Amino acid sequence: MDSLTSVILTPVFTAVLLLLIPGNFRVVLRLAAILGSACTAWTAVSFFSRFHAGQEGLQFESLIPWVTVGPLNLAYHVGADGLNIGLILVTGLVGFAAVLVSWNIERHVKLFYVLLMSMIAGAMGAFASLDLFFFYFFNELALVPTFIMIGVWGRGEDRNWAAFKITLYLTLGALTALVGLIAFYVAAGANSLDVIVLKAHLAAHPLSVSAQTWIFPLVVFGFATLVGLFPFHSWAPIGYAAAPTATAMMHAGILKKAGLYAILRMAVPLMPDGAHRWLPVVAVLAVGNLLHCAWVALRQKDMNLLIGNSSLAHMGFAFLGIASLTVIGITGTVLVMVAHALLAGLSFALSGYLETQTGTVDMTRMGGLLRKMPFYGSALVMGFMASCGLPGFANFAGEATVLFGSWKSLPWLVIIAAWSGLIIGAVAMLRALRAVLQGPEKPEFSRVADLGYWRRLPFVMLLSAMVLFGVAPGILTSRIEPAAKAVLSAHLTPSQAHQAPAVPAAPAASASGHSGH
Amino acid sequence: MEHAAVAQHAVESGTKIQDLAWAILILPLVMAFGTAVLTPKNRTISAAFNISGVVVAFLLSFTLFCVYGGQSVDATPFHWLPVAGLDAEMGLHLDALSTLMLMVVTGVGSLVMIYSIGYMHEDRSYTRFFSTLSLFVFSMLGIVLANNLLMLFVFWELVGVSSYLLIGFWYEKPSAGDASKKAFLTNRIGDFGFMLGILAIWSLAGTLDIADLKAKFVANPALLGPWAGLAGLLIFMGAMGKSAQFPLHVWLPDAMEGPTPVSALIHAATMVAAGVYMLCRVFFLYTATPGWPAALGFLDGISAASIISCIGGFTALFAAVIAVQQDDIKRILAYSTLSQLGLMVMAVGLGAKTGDASASMYHLVTHAGFKAMLFLGAGSVIHACHHEQDIWKMGGLRSKMPKTFWTFALGTAALAGLPPFSGFYSKDEILAVALEANPIFFGVGVLVTVLTTFYMSRLVLVAFFGKPRGEGADHAHESPSSMTLPLLVLAVPSAFIAWLPLGEFLSGHFKPGHATHGGDILFGPFNHNPIAAVFGLGAVLFGFSLAYSLYGKAPAQDPLSAKLGLLSQAMRNRFYIDEIYDGIVVPLHNLLSQIADAIDRWLIAGIAVRGLSGVVEIAGRALRLVQTGSIQTYAFLFTAGVLLIVLLALK
């Protein structure tokens, strides 16, 4: 049986195995975690490569009925299509990289790796699940360790405030989404939370427009908070700055995508009228990510805050692609999600290593580090160049696809997005490179050392994946495209086709006024 | 259309010689990557591999040129980003423009790399230098060969980043770091417009393929309707960045912080010419029916092409004036490059009327040769004078460095436009086009020629004649043969290119089958457009006599500075454009980011979260437990949520 279950169970088994190892066997714990996450990554790569591109419907599916209480049917249902196969792949890769860079963790080693493995398992489960109950459960399984890890292994003086803030925002976001999901369940009346069942049911008995109009925003703004949509974003940078490196990599890279994934998997395909009503609002808020967060990034001296804010700016592209409601735009969004997962993982790994070497994340205190750290410096240049949209990396392919997909319906937003990605992002990243790598060597950093050979593995792995999907984005788009079409299948019925272009034109007009703020 | 038929035939008969173009493109990349990863410590092997990569690419380019001449052929493309409705390909297109450019890029590239063996021999980052140079050649070849707009943009950006890496090659110098950043960001402003232009054309014409677009434009010149002008200008913004046209010119003089071979290859011969090349590639956009949206109605009657020629003409004149009062040998050449690029851009704009931009391409090719030679000569001088770049500390180098002097003098003659050297013929074509189109532009062209001859004569008279004014020049000696040999090789095209019918070859690309003025090439200009030729020659003689009267007696200081007074100050300070940018554009973005940061810090974080935490005090307290590691609270909340579902379900 070729089921996605294995990709969820591998990290779960690893976590159980870790629990059985005594806490003072640190090296054994570390090696076991590395082995377990390597197996997870390998399983994910294997699913990705065996996925039949260009094919509609689900692959590697498995369905186990679980709870039937009265009319409530909960089923463990997993399966892969274009929306999640790429995310499963990058969860494996970033998870493996996160374990690799955590070799330095000294306190509560066992607990740390158990939590990290449950983050990986939770993320895998959330992306693989087709039943919304399981999606929600797995997402929480991945989120809860975040809060604990910031509290226990966090960095900096603000970490309690950061842990509080991130918990508050994410919990409120998740609860809002939960309320929306419950309301949706009741309104749909399919007695199921399985998106496949729901889709078939709703095709015959569509949700009333008024129900969609008030349920859609609950679900979408709830989940969008988990992604960091403006103005529900301010938890993200300080949360990442306070989180241990591996947690920041996993959260910014992977968990953030779960919110977007839920919107694409459930909200947009199942509530087309709600989408037409509310996505223009999302598009306008995305301007906040594209401009506001990009400008905030420009001001940062702390490298983690820079990466955190610029990653929020990239989320603007993802929201823009969804709001375009075109196959090209949604394909682009999924590409951005995959590419950004790799980039965010890489960026936080880079800043984490820099902190171990220089003892600071304040970029204004650094300078001339390229001389001592040629490999590290090259990786940093590549990562930051990918962040400001250099072709050859997957991020450019994703962002360009979003721009093409959104140009006809949201031209003003595309102009803002292009300005944000090509100019503001570039200013922020080049300033950082100038401060960290260029300039004369500083005597206080005479002891910094470049990455040793095996420590290069996570960086080489993430960069190779970014280059692979940048040079041949077709590997991803051929997998994504059929699923992107399926997302929009309910939107392309004749009754709605004529109003589709008219509605998104509104945010374009209002966005032009918005851009000045 | 016979070209299309030939291409079709080639595809059908299975001849795939054109796929050699892929080898030309990929070879430098393989060498760059291979040496960077495998032989970072081995200087000789790294240099040998990178140089051989580009030399072989040149030989292959020459082969393709001989096989196809000016024919239009496509190499087998691959689907890069296949999504329904946006089928972006990576495909290579060979025609008169691209085969010629291939030879220019790989030819000049090979010579510059050979020259670098000597010039960079003391540098410890030898491998990094050669592999980045190869990366640049790869990116530039991508621009040359691209068959569609998105691929053009992809390689456009890659050229930008290789230029960034090479300008900042000596990254420990703060000025080099700043210059590299400035170059990349200024280019990005142009690229922003370029990207929007591509989007606009794609959405209106429905294709990104340049050949398809051209066919559509031929069938319907009003294809873009009211957006024709705007789309043309947006695309032109890309060219303004790369080819450093006013007001995006500020990065090029600063880019001289890079090693001199880089200045020769990238910032004189190839990258900066990419803008002009790209305009020639999409020339059909500018010959199309002009049109403007209602909001820009005041532009009716003005075409995008005429705006382009104004910007080009202004840049040519403006940069030439600045060059007159520069003292740094590389900066004089940099402003001269700006000025010549301005002429080429002007010629593209003016050529739109006749549908022939060959004058511009012709000048691009000749300029690549002699300007690379001039820069390499300047590098040889700087190398000999122990990294002295101020011409007023040089002098008397003529007898100490004869090979450098004679090639530099030849380059100067070619740049100024003295017959029978290459620059005369290509510049004459520009002057002839300008004379036909608009006498004002003709005046600009002649004035630029006077100024060019003046500042170049000043440079040669001050640096090579008289007595040494500094210690460096005193101890100067001729550079090693790895440096002088490329100079001598580059002297050949500068001296003899006029013997080849290059202008007609290019003209044939823009106007197939159109019989141009044949006959005697060497004296041709005086026959078919005597006014342009006579004015061009007169301008050179006038400029030289002016310079000779001021600098002929080897003065110790610049006598012109005192005469010009305040104007000289303004020229030395590049008319304060950089200061204006630093004073307005940079603070504006900083202010915006400060405001955004304040909003984040105080409004959203402060009031919203703290206020919220006050309101949901109880929830907050419960949640605060979580940070201590207490998972129970959360589990409780989650279970409560699940129970809620179940209860609702059972209701």
Side-chain angles (χ1 to χ4, degrees):
Chain A
M1 195 179 82
D2 200 10
S3 151
L4 272 184
T5 307
S6 59
V7 88
I8 307 170
L9 284 184
T10 314
V12 171
F13 283 146
T14 311
V16 173
L17 183 72
L18 289 168
L19 283 172
L20 297 177
I21 300 172
N24 49 355
F25 286 21
R26 292 187 178 186
V27 176
V28 180
L29 284 165
R30 286 184 180 129
L31 290 176
I34 289 173
L35 194 67
S37 58
C39 289
T40 313
W42 175 251
T43 317
V45 170
S46 137
F47 277 118
F48 183 82
S49 55
R50 284 183 288 126
F51 187 88
H52 294 288
Q55 194 170 308
E56 280 177 44
L58 294 162
Q59 303 180 28
F60 317 122
E61 197 182 352
S62 81
L63 175 67
I64 305 169
W66 186 53
V67 180
T68 311
V69 188
L72 180 73
N73 298 300
L74 291 179
Y76 169 82
H77 189 186
V78 293
D81 65 358
L83 290 185
N84 59 8
I85 190 69
L87 293 168
I88 286 170
L89 172 74
V90 292
T91 304
L93 297 180
V94 174
F96 182 39
V99 171
L100 284 175
V101 303
S102 300
W103 191 267
N104 296 0
I105 293 289
E106 295 294 339
R107 291 192 303 124
H108 309 303
V109 178
K110 183 169 163 177
L111 180 62
F112 183 87
Y113 283 117
V114 170
L115 290 174
L116 193 53
M117 293 317 294
S118 58
M119 277 178 104
I120 298 173
M124 286 291 189
F127 292 136
S129 292
L130 298 165
D131 189 287
L132 291 169
F133 175 83
F134 277 91
F135 168 79
Y136 199 85
F137 166 77
F138 277 121
N139 190 37
E140 296 298 303
L141 180 69
L143 277 180
V144 176
T146 315
F147 313 141
I148 302 170
M149 287 166 110
I150 295 176
V152 179
W153 294 273
R155 299 177 280 190
E157 288 159 13
D158 290 339
R159 71 168 192 248
N160 285 336
W161 166 238
F164 165 63
K165 194 168 166 180
I166 194 172
T167 313
L168 183 69
Y169 265 88
L170 297 189
T171 310
L172 285 178
L175 286 176
T176 312
L178 183 63
V179 172
L181 289 181
I182 294 168
F184 177 76
Y185 171 81
V186 174
N191 293 336
S192 169
L193 278 166
D194 188 323
V195 284
I196 308 300
V197 176
L198 282 166
K199 193 165 188 180
H201 179 81
L202 291 174
H205 318 91
L207 225 53
S208 73
V209 175
S210 66
Q212 291 191 31
T213 309
W214 69 267
I215 296 173
F216 187 87
L218 283 175
V219 174
V220 165
F221 291 113
F223 282 127
T225 306
L226 306 187
V227 188
L229 177 66
F230 180 87
F232 316 112
H233 65 283
S234 65
W235 57 269
I238 67 158
Y240 297 149
T245 299
T247 314
M249 288 168 70
M250 278 304 290
H251 196 283
I254 306 298
L255 300 193
K256 238 183 185 178
K257 310 298 176 298
L260 290 166
Y261 173 70
I263 293 171
L264 283 176
R265 173 64 80 202
M266 177 253 164
V268 175
L270 300 184
M271 291 184 277
D273 293 312
H276 280 116
R277 172 73 186 74
W278 283 100
L279 283 182
V281 178
V282 172
V284 172
L285 292 177
V287 174
N289 284 69
L290 291 166
L291 284 184
H292 177 94
C293 295
W295 275 323
V296 175
L298 215 51
R299 285 280 297 166
Q300 303 309 319
K301 296 187 176 81
D302 176 331
M303 195 190 238
N304 284 319
L305 292 178
L306 165 74
I307 299 168
N309 279 296
S310 98
S311 117
L312 285 171
H314 288 119
M315 291 302 98
F317 279 93
F319 283 114
L320 178 59
I322 296 176
S324 75
L325 286 177
T326 58
V327 173
I328 299 176
I330 286 180
T331 307
T333 292
V334 180
L335 253 179
V336 167
M337 286 158 70
V338 170
H340 183 264
L342 296 165
L343 172 65
L346 175 76
S347 305
F348 281 111
L350 285 166
S351 100
Y353 181 75
L354 196 60
E355 196 185 0
T356 65
Q357 292 302 307
T358 61
T360 178
V361 280
D362 184 348
M363 296 184 292
T364 55
R365 290 180 48 204
M366 301 175 192
L369 291 176
L370 188 58
R371 171 68 70 214
K372 282 262 163 40
M373 309 165 85
F375 174 84
Y376 177 84
S378 316
L380 191 71
V381 171
M382 287 195 249
F384 279 14
M385 278 293 171
S387 172
C388 54
L390 185 74
F393 295 102
N395 308 73
F396 169 79
E399 284 165 19
T401 313
V402 166
L403 295 184
F404 276 97
S406 317
W407 174 252
K408 282 177 192 165
S409 52
L410 304 163
W412 285 104
L413 293 194
V414 169
I415 294 171
I416 290 169
W419 184 264
S420 165
L422 287 172
I423 316 268
I424 311 179
V427 175
M429 290 302 155
L430 262 60
R431 274 188 187 173
L433 291 177
R434 171 75 185 80
V436 175
L437 298 178
Q438 297 177 318
E441 263 185 284
K442 292 195 174 171
E444 62 263 39
F445 296 128
S446 57
R447 283 160 180 272
V448 299
D450 205 355
L451 287 148
Y453 279 101
W454 75 265
R455 292 210 155 190
R456 295 180 183 183
L457 176 63
F459 300 92
V460 170
M461 180 180 71
L462 295 176
L463 277 170
S464 314
M466 282 159 70
V467 171
L468 174 70
F469 294 136
V471 172
I475 299 174
L476 279 169
T477 55
S478 60
R479 286 168 165 76
I480 298 168
E481 198 188 352
K485 276 185 189 143
V487 167
L488 293 176
S489 59
H491 295 256
L492 303 173
T493 52
S495 66
Q496 278 154 352
H498 68 274
Q499 73 188 54
V503 180
S510 51
S512 61
H514 208 79
S515 62
H517 88 122
Chain B
M1 287 307 100
E2 65 183 298
H3 293 149
V6 173
Q8 191 62 36
H9 174 71
V11 169
E12 278 167 13
S13 62
T15 324
K16 290 286 179 182
I17 304 173
Q18 64 266 33
D19 286 343
L20 274 182
W22 281 111
I24 296 172
L25 178 66
I26 300 299
L27 203 56
L29 178 68
V30 171
M31 293 305 176
F33 188 75
T35 53
V37 173
L38 300 176
T39 62
K41 300 270 160 63
N42 195 321
R43 301 158 63 93
T44 321
I45 292 184
S46 299
F49 269 95
N50 282 298
I51 292 170
S52 60
V54 180
V55 170
V56 171
F58 173 73
L59 296 176
L60 293 176
S61 306
F62 186 70
T63 313
L64 283 183
F65 184 80
C66 295
V67 172
Y68 291 109
Q71 283 173 32
S72 188
V73 193
D74 278 305
T76 318
F78 80 91
H79 295 281
W80 181 62
L81 217 170
V83 186
L86 170 73
D87 195 4
E89 277 185 348
M90 287 277 161
L92 309 182
H93 181 73
L94 292 171
D95 60 8
L97 293 186
S98 58
T99 40
L100 192 61
M101 260 317 254
L102 274 185
M103 293 205 299
V104 170
V105 173
T106 53
V108 178
S110 314
L111 293 170
V112 165
M113 280 178 135
I114 291 167
Y115 176 92
S116 305
I117 298 174
Y119 191 83
M120 299 298 288
H121 73 96
E122 282 166 3
D123 202 280
R124 55 169 155 175
S125 303
Y126 209 60
T127 302
R128 179 162 61 94
F129 182 79
F130 279 101
S131 62
T132 321
L133 221 47
S134 280
L135 178 71
F136 166 76
V137 172
F138 160 72
S139 319
M140 188 66 208
L141 292 175
I143 291 183
V144 171
L145 289 166
N147 76 344
N148 71 76
L149 291 173
L150 189 60
M151 180 176 170
L152 196 59
F153 184 83
V154 164
F155 283 94
W156 198 256
E157 291 293 308
L158 291 178
V159 162
V161 82
S162 15
S163 150
Y164 167 79
L165 295 173
L166 286 164
I167 296 171
F169 182 75
W170 288 316
Y171 55 87
E172 282 167 334
K173 266 165 75 186
S175 54
D178 292 338
S180 62
K181 195 176 80 172
K182 184 174 177 178
F184 192 80
L185 295 177
T186 316
N187 267 292
R188 268 292 168 96
I189 295 176
D191 298 348
F192 166 71
F194 191 15
M195 186 75 214
L196 295 182
I198 293 173
L199 288 165
I201 290 172
W202 170 76
S203 69
L204 293 166
T207 178
L208 288 166
D209 189 277
I210 295 172
D212 281 359
L213 275 174
K214 192 174 180 180
K216 287 191 176 187
F217 269 92
V218 169
N220 175 16
L223 185 65
L224 301 184
W227 299 101
L230 209 53
L233 286 184
L234 285 171
I235 294 284
F236 174 61
M237 264 183 83
M240 280 168 80
K242 281 277 176 293
S243 291
Q245 295 299 294
F246 182 86
L248 297 183
H249 64 285
V250 288
W251 67 271
L252 185 58
D254 287 20
M256 298 300 130
E257 288 293 338
T260 305
V262 170
S263 312
L265 176 62
I266 300 186
H267 305 117
T270 53
M271 163 180 169
V272 290
V276 176
Y277 175 78
M278 184 264 276
L279 290 179
C280 293
R281 246 19 250 280
V282 297
F283 191 58
F284 51 85
L285 279 180
Y286 303 106
T287 52
T289 317
W292 300 94
L296 296 172
F298 60 91
L299 286 171
D300 277 339
I302 304 172
S303 65
S306 56
I307 296 175
I308 289 171
S309 46
C310 287
I311 290 177
F314 180 76
T315 308
L317 201 54
F318 175 81
V321 169
I322 294 178
V324 167
Q325 282 292 288
Q326 295 298 313
D327 296 332
D328 182 314
I329 186 168
K330 282 180 76 179
R331 285 195 178 245
I332 298 172
L333 292 177
Y335 279 103
S336 155
T337 307
L338 279 180
S339 169
Q340 299 299 310
L341 289 166
L343 283 184
M344 295 175 213
V345 168
M346 183 179 96
V348 173
L350 295 175
K353 274 186 189 164
T354 53
D356 183 356
S358 59
S360 173
M361 264 314 281
Y362 188 17
H363 197 53
L364 189 163
V365 172
T366 60
H367 178 262
F370 60 69
K371 192 48 84 53
M373 179 166 72
L374 284 169
F375 263 107
L376 294 183
S380 172
V381 167
I382 294 166
H383 191 72
C385 298
H386 303 282
H387 296 280
E388 182 54 64
Q389 302 199 6
D390 187 342
I391 55 167
W392 292 99
K393 293 189 177 145
M394 298 171 187
L397 296 174
R398 177 177 47 121
S399 49
K400 291 181 170 153
M401 316 176 64
K403 287 179 195 160
T404 306
F405 168 69
W406 283 109
T407 49
F408 202 89
L410 177 73
T412 302
L415 170 58
L418 190 70
F421 304 114
S422 61
F424 171 75
Y425 299 91
S426 52
K427 195 182 286 179
D428 176 72
E429 289 220 358
I430 294 182
L431 289 179
V433 170
L435 187 61
E436 235 171 83
N438 189 332
I440 297 173
F441 288 109
F442 179 69
V444 168
V446 173
L447 196 53
V448 168
T449 309
V450 173
L451 289 167
T452 307
T453 318
F454 178 81
Y455 64 68
M456 283 311 293
S457 309
R458 169 179 178 261
L459 166 56
V460 171
L461 289 170
V462 172
F464 288 95
F465 289 82
K467 293 213 162 57
R469 298 182 189 79
E471 226 174 281
D474 224 7
H475 303 299
H477 52 84
E478 185 59 281
S479 300
S481 55
S482 68
M483 288 168 70
T484 49
L485 190 72
L487 285 174
L488 295 173
V489 176
L490 278 168
V492 175
S494 303
F496 297 112
I497 210 163
W499 301 78
L500 302 171
L502 204 57
E504 288 183 32
F505 173 72
L506 286 165
S507 209
H509 170 80
F510 289 101
K511 294 200 151 178
H514 186 78
T516 42
H517 39 70
D520 190 355
I521 299 162
L522 221 43
F523 295 98
F526 293 96
N527 290 329
H528 62 76
N529 202 331
I531 300 177
V534 168
F535 266 91
L537 186 57
V540 174
L541 298 177
F542 180 61
F544 180 74
S545 46
L546 266 184
Y548 192 78
S549 68
L550 281 169
Y551 305 103
K553 306 229 169 63
Q557 285 167 343
D558 194 346
L560 194 62
S561 304
K563 284 182 192 167
L564 292 175
L566 273 180
L567 182 62
S568 161
Q569 276 302 312
M571 283 150 80
R572 282 173 187 277
N573 287 306
R574 317 180 255 183
F575 292 103
Y576 305 100
I577 303 284
D578 288 63
E579 281 74 11
I580 293 169
Y581 287 168
D582 287 343
I584 297 172
V585 181
V586 178
L588 186 71
H589 248 84
N590 281 347
L591 180 71
L592 288 171
S593 74
Q594 239 162 332
I595 293 169
D597 195 35
I599 291 173
D600 244 27
R601 242 172 244 266
W602 302 113
L603 218 67
I604 295 176
I607 299 168
V609 177
R610 278 168 231 260
L612 197 62
S613 69
V615 176
V616 291
E617 174 73 39
I618 301 161
R621 277 197 187 172
L623 291 167
R624 240 174 239 135
L625 297 173
V626 173
Q627 65 183 291
T628 60
S630 157
I631 201 165
Q632 288 92 328
T633 319
Y634 208 80
F636 166 74
L637 279 177
F638 184 72
T639 321
V642 175
L643 283 176
L644 202 65
I645 303 183
V646 177
L647 282 176
L648 279 167
L650 293 174
K651 193 178 66 178

